[in-house]
Amino acid sequence: MTLQAAQPPSDSSRTLYGGKGTRRITVHDIAAAKERGEKWPMLTAYDAMTASVFDEAGIPVMLVGDSMGNTHLGYETTVPVTMDEITLLSAAVVRGTQRALIIGDLPFGSYQEGPVQALRNATRLVKEAGVGAVKLEGGRRSLVQTELIVQSGIPVVSHLGLTPQSVNTMGYRVQGRGDEAAHRLLHDAKAAQEAGAFAVVLEMVPAEVAAEITRSLQIPTVGIGAGPDTDAQVLVWTDMAGLTAGKVPRFTKQYADLRRTLGDAAKAFADDVVGGAFPQEEHTFH
Ligand code: KIV
């Protein structure tokens, strides 16, 4: 697999990706990018070291997603992830970065009871972890939560389409197929914008529907399995870098083969230890 070096857009002084500033990206920078028609990349991150690599690579927005349940905590779904887990890992990602806007995910059970619970947990992520924004699943069904959190001064991203926290009712399948479902999705996206969300994630949505939503909104859309016409694209980093074991979603593109690289390094170390080739003189104190 070849690694392609992406080229930053030509006026790179103020772009989100490849921009020169070192201060944290804000939601105002995100809004300005939509006005310029600039596309931008977003990755998930779950620890300080990996986040620092992505920050140095110029990734302008990182999501401490509840996908950590699958990628880092060994759960089968995102449902068991807790506020304590998200807060701990979000704080690490914030500490590992200087420029990226860090979005903390509100996990299942942390906002469904109502706006007061949602605000309490969003506030915890901002105060204890230092995130610049939070994400929650649902359009109209999370409207009052979005409104109160935004009115309280915390930027919100809405997550529409396939919402993994609803796996037990929704399953993992493409959402928004057919006129009625597409209309409902557009309505949800507009409601999220109206409630004050500064961006909308569209997961596993037909490309044409995502394109229509992107044209209809003033705020940016962030696609994951939503075709090429959203304003931004997000991937789960372990899928993107080939660290995930087994099958990854069809919408993922694998840019490296970290699972093989890391496994080979571990085996080489083990072989050296067993065969007596490590440590050598240069690794040894006298
Ligand atoms: O938790 C997560 O990583 C997400 C992205 C897939 C958007 O919600």
Side-chain angles (χ1 to χ4, degrees), residues 163-203:
T163 47
Q165 290 175 14
S166 306
V167 58
N168 291 321
T169 50
M170 191 182 263
Y172 292 111
R173 61 170 76 94
V174 175
Q175 301 293 310
R177 275 205 175 120
D179 285 352
E180 203 186 312
H183 184 74
R184 271 202 307 272
L185 205 52
L186 177 60
H187 201 38
D188 267 331
K190 285 187 171 169
Q193 173 176 271
E194 197 63 28
F198 76 91
V200 172
V201 168
L202 298 174
E203 179 163 357

Side-chain angles (χ1 to χ4, degrees), residues 42-46 63-71 78 86 105 135 137 157 159 162-165 201-203 222-224 234-237 239 251:
M42 168 165 145
L43 283 174
T44 62
Y46 314 101
L63 169 69
V64 189
D66 62 359
S67 50
M68 69 174 62
N70 310 92
T71 62
T78 61
I86 290 267
D105 222 355
K135 175 171 85 59
E137 293 186 1
V157 178
H159 185 151
L162 189 148
T163 47
Q165 290 175 14
V201 168
L202 298 174
E203 179 163 357
V222 184
I224 174 160
V234 59
L235 285 178
V236 169
W237 89 256
D239 295 346
F251 56 72

Side-chain angles (χ1 to χ4, degrees), residues 19-105:
K20 292 194 173 58
T22 50
R23 65 162 176 79
R24 284 258 178 217
I25 303 282
T26 68
V27 292
H28 303 291
D29 300 314
I30 305 286
K34 172 95 183 185
E35 274 178 28
R36 289 195 296 273
E38 177 193 342
K39 286 186 174 248
W40 46 274
M42 168 165 145
L43 283 174
T44 62
Y46 314 101
D47 69 279
M49 197 183 290
T50 316
S52 74
V53 173
F54 298 156
D55 208 39
E56 283 165 24
I59 299 297
V61 186
M62 290 178 218
L63 169 69
V64 189
D66 62 359
S67 50
M68 69 174 62
N70 310 92
T71 62
H72 283 61
L73 300 176
Y75 300 139
E76 278 187 18
T77 70
T78 61
V79 170
V81 175
T82 65
M83 272 305 296
D84 283 350
E85 289 162 343
I86 290 267
T87 307
L88 187 75
L89 271 55
S90 297
V93 169
V94 170
R95 284 193 294 269
T97 53
Q98 295 186 329
R99 181 171 183 263
L101 169 66
I102 308 302
I103 302 168
D105 222 355

